[in-house]
Amino acid sequence: MEELRVTGGGHLGPIDSSRIPRYAGAATFARLPRLDQVDRADIAVVGVPFDSGVSYRPGARFGGNHVREASRLLRPYNPALDVSPFERVQVADAGDMAVNPFNIHEAIETVQQEALDLTAGGTRLVTLGGDHTIALPLLRAAAERAGSPVAMLHFDAHLDTWDTYFGAEYTHGTPFRRAVEEGILDTEAISHVGTRGPLYGVRDLEDDRRFGFGIVTSADVYRQGVDEVVDKLRTRIGNRPLYVSVDIDVLDPAHAPGTGTPEAGGITSRELLEILRGLRGLNLVGADVVEVAPAYDHAEMTGVAASHVAYDLVTLMADTLTPAATTSGDQ
């Protein structure tokens, strides 16, 4: 079947849904071209089908393709930010990294190296997980490309700064403790957003403060409102290179049931999207959306939410990149 695509700004865009139904054909993110169909990509969306670091429900290894399927309804123009990201820059789907599901150390090394390979020409990554273990190697690659520790916003129900699980240092609950220890995070500009639920003890919070994390709980978002939260986050980040990591369980299970460790009392998908949009103009150098577990999803609720989060992250990146010279094309 011929791929009839929308083009604009000299870039190859998504399949034209006015000529080929959205439900037809193979699913790439937002029906964008594959990386091998373009000369280069300014932004690449890549999957990491890995969940060997989970501590409760498995299944996030299937999250990337679930998000791709749920992204079929995404359209080329983002009215919330008044940006046509696929026209402004070249965005492509880089497929999936092939990581070892039986050796977590090898998997982490693979993700780090493939992230470095994909970003070698200046391409920025939005990664679809997979469990949150993969944030550590992605942060390593982002800091290496930035040439300095990076600021980070971590959207999650959980802190993910625990020391070990069953003696294991590398799990989906430990990546940000390791990242602080390795010196790849700018500890004056790191925050959790949306945390909630029971902890193992008060020491969890004491450790976080010692590491330098600010904490905006889901209750803070509810009581203070999106605008106040965004102002605080922007002040903390400044103009530093920023990495955004989104665990989909930051959303209440009513909005995202398809995840491995759900917690009651989360933020809404609208609140999450509005906070992300409030980051407009910041130097977003990388991002991930993780912990989508489709076996627990219903009617693609979680997949749809995750696909819109990834779409807004792509749009934020595209908005700050210098577009190539525009050429005429179909809109």
Side-chain angles (χ1 to χ4, degrees):
M1 182 174 64
E2 182 183 0
E3 289 189 337
L4 304 172
R5 293 189 173 274
V6 176
T7 60
H11 304 119
L12 190 63
I15 290 174
D16 187 346
S17 61
S18 70
R19 304 173 72 183
I20 299 178
R22 293 186 179 278
Y23 45 80
T28 57
F29 182 77
R31 307 186 87 197
L32 286 162
R34 302 187 311 271
L35 189 58
D36 62 1
Q37 293 177 304
V38 296
D39 293 332
R40 67 173 303 277
D42 300 294
I43 301 170
V45 180
V46 64
V48 182
F50 175 85
D51 66 0
S52 299
V54 299
S55 57
Y56 195 51
R57 295 172 174 173
R61 66 182 61 185
F62 302 109
N65 282 330
H66 186 67
V67 174
R68 288 184 175 106
E69 285 289 347
S71 75
R72 289 178 180 270
L73 271 175
L74 294 174
R75 300 173 181 88
Y77 173 63
N78 188 333
L81 292 166
D82 189 24
V83 175
S84 296
F86 312 142
E87 181 179 333
R88 185 173 178 84
V89 298
Q90 183 63 65
V91 188
D93 190 318
D96 288 341
M97 298 182 186
V99 295
N100 189 333
F102 303 111
N103 187 321
I104 199 164
H105 297 280
E106 182 181 322
I108 288 171
E109 291 174 1
T110 299
V111 172
Q112 181 178 349
Q113 187 57 55
E114 294 210 19
L116 287 169
D117 292 345
L118 284 166
T119 57
T123 300
R124 300 192 187 188
L125 287 188
V126 174
T127 305
L128 306 177
D131 76 53
H132 225 152
T133 310
I134 68 171
L136 177 61
L138 293 170
L139 281 166
R140 289 174 178 171
E144 182 170 336
R145 288 287 173 231
S148 66
V150 296
M152 185 187 69
L153 290 181
H154 168 223
F155 293 83
D156 202 322
H158 311 95
L159 301 173
D160 288 3
T161 52
W162 286 280
D163 191 12
T164 62
Y165 277 123
F166 292 88
E169 295 181 335
Y170 298 98
T171 76
H172 76 159
T174 64
F176 304 119
R177 190 184 190 109
R178 302 286 91 83
V180 169
E181 292 169 348
E182 292 178 16
I184 57 178
L185 292 180
D186 184 336
T187 54
E188 294 184 356
I190 52 177
S191 291
H192 305 296
V193 183
T195 53
R196 62 192 187 275
L199 299 171
Y200 293 108
V202 70
R203 182 175 175 179
D204 295 337
L205 297 174
E206 293 170 347
D207 283 350
D208 252 44
R209 284 191 289 269
R210 179 166 53 86
F211 297 147
F213 279 96
I215 297 179
V216 178
T217 67
S218 60
D220 292 333
V221 176
Y222 170 69
R223 296 184 183 282
Q224 297 172 13
V226 166
D227 291 344
E228 184 174 337
V229 167
V230 167
D231 286 345
K232 290 179 178 179
L233 296 176
R234 292 183 69 97
T235 298
R236 189 170 178 84
I237 296 161
N239 61 1
R240 298 169 173 88
L242 171 65
Y243 189 93
V244 172
S245 185
V246 181
D247 185 327
I248 205 64
D249 74 19
V250 71
L251 299 180
D252 191 88
H255 297 263
T259 192
T261 48
E263 303 278 0
I267 65 175
T268 69
S269 54
R270 179 175 60 239
E271 288 169 331
L272 175 57
L273 292 171
E274 288 301 318
I275 292 172
L276 291 175
R277 291 162 185 167
L279 305 178
R280 185 173 193 172
L282 299 184
N283 183 20
L284 183 57
V285 297
D288 62 61
V289 183
V290 299
E291 298 285 354
V292 174
Y296 310 101
D297 205 5
H298 171 70
E300 291 187 326
M301 289 170 59
T302 313
V304 168
S307 70
H308 280 261
V309 168
Y311 176 64
D312 271 17
L313 290 167
V314 167
T315 304
L316 290 170
M317 286 183 181
D319 185 51
T320 59
L321 292 173
T322 302
T326 46
T327 59
S328 61
D330 299 329
Q331 303 301 313

